[in-house]
Amino acid sequence: MRERLSLDRNWRFALGHAADPSRDFEFVRSRDLVKAGEARGAAGVKFDDDAWRVVNVPHDWAIELPLDPTGDKELAEHGFRAIGPDHPEHSIGWYRRTFEIPAGDEGRRISVEFDGVFRDSIVWINGHRLGRHQSGYTSFSYDVTDLLNYGGTNVIAVRVDASCWEGWWYEGAGIYRHVWLTKTDPLHVARCGTFVTSEVKRTTAVVTARTTIVNESDNALTFVLQSDLSPRHGFATRANRAHGLKTRATTKPIVLASWEQREIVQTIRIARPRLWSPDQPNLYRLRSTIIRRREAVDEYDTSFGIRTLRWDAPKGFFLNGKPLKIKGTCNHQQHAGVGIALPDRLHTFRLEKLKELGSNAYRCSHYAVAPELLDECDRLGFLVMAENRLAGSSPEILSQFEGMIRRDRNHPSVILWSLANEEHTVQWSIAGERIGRTMTRLAHRLDPTRKVTTAMHDRGLDEGFANVVDVHGWNYIKVGDIEAFHARRPEQPIVGSEEGSTVCTRGVYADDAGKGYVSAYDVRTPKWGSTAESWWRFFSDRPWLAGGFVWTGFDYFGEPIPYKWPCTASHFGLMDLCGFPKDNFYYYQSWWSDDRTVLHLFPHWNWEGHEGEEIDVRCFSNCDEVELFVNGRTHGRKTVVRNSHVAWVVRYEAGAIEAIGYHGKKRVATAKRETTGPAARLVLGTDRMSISADGDDVASVTVTAVDAKGRFVPTANDLVRFNISGAGVIIGIGNGDPSSHEADKGSQRSLFNGLACAIVQSTLKAGPIRIAARAAGLKSAMLTLQARPATQRPAVP
């Protein structure tokens, strides 16, 4: 039967050199392209890597590098990390790992699979060059069956070249997603070999399963394919029994010739299907079993959901026959402390924060994302715009696009395929139109159930991507005339593929160019951007706009707009790099939440030295009215206009401001900001008190500063030192400061406006994890997490 084993642990790692062959472990002298199996140096079998560092993947070596403030525009876009063309000494990474293959595996098909390597990787096994994969974002695999030592030791080597960029943001470097060793019978389901679609007809769904079977043997083989449907919670089976319907489809015996593959199509009817939606993300499982001589030789599981999609030009987007406004965010694949090497749980943490915001959609900006992220979008209920990295019609680019679609087309969360983002040179050209037509044709062939879009800066020309995509992706209402476009093409649906780009720094209420900070009042944007309030009111008022995606849900390293150095990160996020909300978070929560009363009052009330000066006090709220009090004195009760905010200008005096929210005459919410004393002690908190002792699970631990009365101090910037003992380790630290030059790896970090975080990961040992936080002059804090016994992911020793 099929085995899928993790190859994440116990790699050896060292930096090579992109410009000095003598420091790149004989790469240029390797003979693997001269004679089979004759790789030299680090690519070869006999190389001594004992002095190399031991790492587990996911791993991002770039996040550990120093900063280079003298870098050019491209280095600034990548967060000033000392990597890339000007830093050859940091731009090559080598990974090596040994593993055993049992003698009994001979006769099986074995492959090694990489979910993501940034970038331009070459892989060897036992001195044999397997191939080169240039994209830093798509998954790839190599069949190693012929090259293994069965009953002996095997050596895999990977050279990663991050000298060149693929984007204009921090991209990291290394094997930053999971690695797998997959073993199958010669007769098996192909990699990404199922495609499950459904058609809903009143109270019944017809599920079509397309399964590609491969016979990688020298003999014709006879088999039966058995496909079983099951829900996550057992509801469909009972309904089908009640209606006399089956949840299993079985073929008659099929003969597959030697080294042939074939797609087999089966249908299964489901009574009263539970549809997938953001509010009820119901999931089903297809289990494909290949039976030969009455014995199961392969078993392959596919998760999927049943739902209907409809894009209506005048009315927007419909899910399961009901109109649904897309309330989305664009996001990069990175986080404080870990760079692009996110443990699986961090994907969940980030999506949970977006769910708390009220978001129902996620744009993968601007590349194929980790499979685990899409799994969680399925589970938590996010509509996904899945985006390809680069437009083109070359075999290389089309193969990357095809790989993304084949891998991800069973995810019910995916509602759109995006060809690319802002392809300035070609998006409005006849060449771009030809490219777009080729890519769209490929997408429709691979997946006729979903529409195709492209994220475009509009200039109103008559040639280009707009003529070939199904749904027009509009980046920024300030760029081009979206209403004129709609009037000219009323038959084409439009989604706001990218909007907002408001720049804000958490806890800062006046621009400070010297420090690289921007006011958090939702007032400043780049020339193409709009404030949160202006773009969302525009989209909300127009039913023909399907909704949109904010740039961005989280801050990210790189693209430090509007400043350059000392900034190393963006200001665009509704949350900072750690996931701490900015004030704008609550604007969207007010108007994107259907079942939550929101009353957010800002700014803080620690303005020593500004007594008597006017302060702009605001509330983001979905209450009908809000009344403001300053030290107990009312400053008026104001009506909250839908998709807007309320504000007062008051003169500062120490004490407290308080907002009271009303629905009709009923008081439903209060919010208060007090002038605090100086920081007196630290407090530790966490998103989870218990994590799995599987060596992968993580908790996000927050440290805050409070005064003697226990009140949060929003101006504290004390240096915090962390200590951890027991069954966990700290894998990264951060504070959300876009201008911080402190290390993301280590044991200390300054608070930024009262907050910092540590990412704590379990080991393989169950037991308590004790975290201590200390700062000079403040009372220390302690927190104990529990690493609970857990079944470890099947892995290669």
Side-chain angles (χ1 to χ4, degrees):
M1 291 290 284
R2 178 182 297 260
E3 291 182 87
R4 193 167 191 246
L5 307 175
S6 171
L7 262 175
D8 284 354
R9 308 188 77 80
N10 299 318
W11 290 80
R12 294 279 181 169
F13 171 77
L15 288 175
H17 203 289
D20 185 351
S22 68
R23 297 166 62 185
D24 199 27
F25 306 110
E26 296 191 77
F27 171 65
V28 298
R29 297 180 61 81
S30 182
R31 288 177 53 85
D32 54 80
L33 294 176
V34 179
K35 294 290 184 179
E38 292 191 7
R40 287 177 174 171
V45 174
K46 297 181 180 180
F47 181 81
D48 184 359
D49 58 19
D50 284 349
W52 288 17
R53 173 181 161 199
V54 177
V55 301
N56 297 329
V57 303
H59 175 244
D60 175 9
W61 84 73
I63 198 67
E64 305 172 10
L65 296 177
L67 302 172
D68 176 7
T70 67
D72 60 12
K73 177 180 179 293
E74 288 187 321
L75 199 69
E77 290 174 341
H78 286 77
F80 291 100
R81 295 286 172 175
I83 194 169
D86 295 333
H87 293 279
E89 74 281 9
H90 296 148
S91 298
I92 302 292
W94 283 86
Y95 296 83
R96 286 172 53 87
R97 193 192 194 283
T98 61
F99 60 95
E100 306 293 318
I101 290 289
D105 279 347
E106 191 161 10
R108 305 176 79 183
R109 304 304 301 184
I110 301 178
S111 62
V112 60
E113 302 176 9
F114 294 84
D115 285 346
V117 180
F118 193 88
R119 64 170 297 277
D120 197 2
S121 63
I122 302 174
V123 182
W124 297 262
I125 189 84
N126 295 332
H128 295 267
R129 183 177 178 131
L130 295 176
R132 177 184 181 188
H133 188 80
Q134 296 188 64
S135 171
Y137 298 105
T138 53
S139 303
F140 58 100
S141 70
Y142 298 109
D143 187 318
V144 296
T145 304
D146 295 343
L147 308 173
L148 293 173
N149 296 318
Y150 295 92
T153 301
N154 297 270
V155 180
I156 186 170
V158 185
R159 182 181 186 267
V160 183
D161 186 347
S163 300
C164 298
W165 318 122
E166 288 190 56
W168 52 95
W169 53 86
Y170 173 83
E171 298 186 272
I175 304 177
Y176 70 97
R177 295 181 186 159
H178 296 303
V179 185
W180 307 94
L181 192 73
T182 299
K183 305 177 182 180
T184 68
D185 187 85
L187 183 68
H188 60 271
V189 177
R191 180 172 178 265
C192 303
T194 58
F195 182 32
V196 185
T197 59
S198 59
E199 184 179 0
V200 179
K201 298 179 178 179
R202 296 184 180 180
T203 60
T204 303
V206 178
V207 175
T208 300
R210 293 172 173 83
T211 308
T212 300
I213 309 296
V214 181
N215 176 11
E216 294 182 322
S217 76
D218 292 330
N219 301 304
L221 298 176
T222 302
F223 68 95
V224 168
L225 174 63
Q226 178 178 294
S227 297
D228 292 281
L229 289 187
S230 62
R232 290 287 176 91
H233 304 293
F235 47 77
T237 300
R238 292 194 299 270
N240 272 22
R241 287 198 192 108
H243 287 76
L245 301 179
K246 298 179 180 180
T247 55
R248 171 178 290 177
T250 306
T251 67
K252 293 180 179 179
I254 296 171
V255 178
L256 197 60
S258 170
W259 297 100
E260 181 188 356
Q261 73 174 34
R262 186 183 306 174
E263 182 181 82
I264 298 168
V265 180
Q266 298 167 295
T267 59
I268 299 174
R269 293 168 61 86
I270 297 181
R272 293 200 300 270
R274 298 290 182 93
L275 303 184
W276 183 95
S277 71
D279 292 332
Q280 293 184 311
N282 299 303
L283 294 172
Y284 290 82
R285 182 189 68 186
L286 171 73
R287 173 161 290 176
S288 307
T289 305
I290 299 176
I291 301 171
R292 184 167 178 265
R293 294 176 179 171
R294 298 184 180 182
E295 180 181 349
V297 296
D298 192 28
E299 196 172 79
Y300 187 92
D301 286 349
T302 305
S303 178
F304 72 98
I306 298 172
R307 82 285 185 269
T308 65
L309 310 175
R310 180 162 67 89
W311 296 87
D312 188 291
K315 296 180 181 180
F317 174 69
F318 287 71
L319 180 69
N320 300 326
K322 300 176 182 178
L324 180 64
K325 203 77 168 182
I326 292 171
K327 303 170 182 177
T329 62
C330 308
N331 294 284
H332 280 302
Q333 56 174 24
Q334 49 174 275
H335 196 82
V338 297
I340 62 171
L342 276 71
D344 295 350
R345 167 60 199 175
L346 268 185
H347 292 302
T348 307
F349 170 83
R350 288 162 66 89
L351 289 172
E352 289 173 345
K353 298 296 287 186
L354 293 172
K355 204 74 170 177
E356 180 186 341
L357 167 74
S359 176
N360 63 13
Y362 188 103
R363 178 184 173 209
C364 306
S365 306
H366 305 290
Y367 37 75
V369 297
E372 294 75 20
L373 172 57
L374 293 181
D375 289 342
E376 288 301 278
C377 286
D378 292 346
R379 187 180 68 85
L380 294 173
F382 281 87
L383 309 170
V384 172
M385 177 175 164
E387 192 155 272
N388 181 53
R389 171 71 290 277
L390 185 66
S393 54
S394 69
E396 170 70 24
I397 294 174
L398 290 178
S399 71
Q400 304 296 347
F401 188 40
E402 178 172 350
M404 180 185 78
I405 294 175
R406 286 188 180 278
R407 191 196 70 175
D408 298 338
R409 61 186 176 175
N410 288 310
H411 289 282
S413 56
V414 175
I415 62 169
L416 273 176
W417 300 116
S418 174
L419 305 183
N421 173 71
E422 294 178 2
E423 289 282 5
H424 305 291
T425 301
V426 302
Q427 65 182 352
W428 293 111
S429 70
I430 189 61
E433 186 168 327
R434 296 185 193 114
I435 289 170
R437 198 174 300 282
T438 297
M439 297 183 76
T440 300
R441 184 171 58 250
L442 174 62
H444 287 163
R445 177 174 64 79
L446 294 170
D447 179 10
T449 72
R450 293 179 178 90
K451 301 299 185 184
V452 173
T453 188
T454 303
M456 291 172 273
H457 269 128
D458 271 83
R459 298 190 308 182
L461 302 181
D462 294 325
E463 296 176 334
F465 292 153
N467 290 339
V468 299
V469 296
D470 307 306
V471 177
H472 191 98
W474 194 286
N475 281 17
Y476 302 106
I477 53 175
K478 276 191 177 181
V479 183
D481 189 336
I482 193 171
E483 293 192 283
F485 180 90
H486 174 60
R488 192 167 69 247
R489 298 190 179 193
E491 76 290 347
Q492 187 164 39
I494 302 175
V495 66
S497 42
E498 190 169 313
E499 269 301 342
S501 278
T502 315
V503 286
C504 301
T505 307
R506 176 179 57 78
V508 174
Y509 297 97
D511 291 355
D512 188 334
K515 292 182 178 179
Y517 300 150
V518 191
S519 167
Y521 275 117
D522 188 29
V523 294
R524 188 165 179 184
T525 71
K527 62 183 180 180
W528 61 84
S530 302
T531 64
E533 190 169 315
S534 62
W535 90 263
W536 180 245
R537 291 181 75 174
F538 184 95
F539 272 69
S540 180
D541 290 344
R542 290 160 175 79
W544 49 270
L545 288 171
F549 297 85
V550 185
W551 189 266
T552 52
F554 295 83
D555 281 344
Y556 53 95
F557 296 111
E559 241 187 332
I561 293 170
Y563 312 116
K564 295 295 185 282
W565 188 267
C567 289
T568 63
S570 79
H571 297 264
F572 293 119
L574 309 181
M575 290 169 275
D576 66 19
L577 282 156
C578 302
F580 298 133
K582 304 180 188 179
D583 295 299
N584 262 6
F585 177 100
Y586 300 98
Y587 170 80
Y588 290 99
Q589 189 181 64
S590 296
W591 303 115
W592 285 6
S593 299
D594 297 325
D595 56 357
R596 181 195 299 264
T597 297
V598 180
L599 178 61
H600 176 69
L601 174 65
F602 64 104
H604 60 72
W605 210 238
N606 281 21
W607 297 103
E608 183 179 358
H610 295 272
E611 287 76 10
E613 295 182 16
E614 290 185 337
I615 303 292
D616 184 358
V617 177
R618 300 187 181 192
C619 280
F620 290 140
S621 179
N622 53 12
C623 294
D624 296 334
E625 295 180 309
V626 178
E627 186 173 10
L628 179 72
F629 294 85
V630 179
N631 291 331
R633 302 186 307 274
T634 184
H635 275 249
R637 184 162 164 171
K638 297 192 176 186
T639 299
V640 182
V641 177
R642 181 169 178 78
N643 294 321
S644 185
H645 71 280
V646 288
W648 301 260
V649 175
V650 303
R651 294 193 180 276
Y652 176 68
E653 56 183 79
I657 55 174
E658 184 176 17
I660 299 176
Y662 299 87
H663 283 316
K665 295 182 179 181
K666 184 179 179 181
R667 176 173 169 167
V668 295
T670 61
K672 193 173 186 178
R673 301 286 179 264
E674 295 183 273
T675 307
T676 72
R681 63 185 176 93
L682 299 176
V683 176
L684 287 171
T686 181
D687 65 321
R688 309 164 76 209
M689 291 299 297
S690 174
I691 61 177
S692 298
D694 57 7
D696 298 310
D697 203 5
V698 298
S700 180
V701 174
T702 299
V703 57
T704 60
V706 300
D707 69 2
K709 295 182 178 180
R711 299 173 297 187
F712 172 66
V713 181
T715 54
N717 294 305
D718 303 79
L719 179 65
V720 176
R721 291 179 171 84
F722 296 96
N723 180 265
I724 189 167
S725 62
V729 294
I730 292 175
I731 61 170
I733 49 180
N735 61 11
D737 182 354
S739 297
S740 176
H741 301 157
E742 297 173 282
D744 286 82
K745 304 291 185 181
S747 60
Q748 66 180 39
R749 193 65 176 254
S750 297
L751 299 175
F752 178 60
N753 292 332
L755 295 168
C757 77
I759 309 301
V760 174
Q761 188 169 59
S762 65
T763 62
L764 298 176
K765 177 182 177 182
I769 305 171
R770 299 179 181 88
I771 304 111
R774 299 177 174 83
L778 306 185
K779 185 177 180 181
S780 301
M782 296 286 295
L783 178 70
T784 300
L785 308 180
Q786 192 66 33
R788 60 183 181 272
T791 302
Q792 295 177 27
R793 179 181 286 154
V796 176

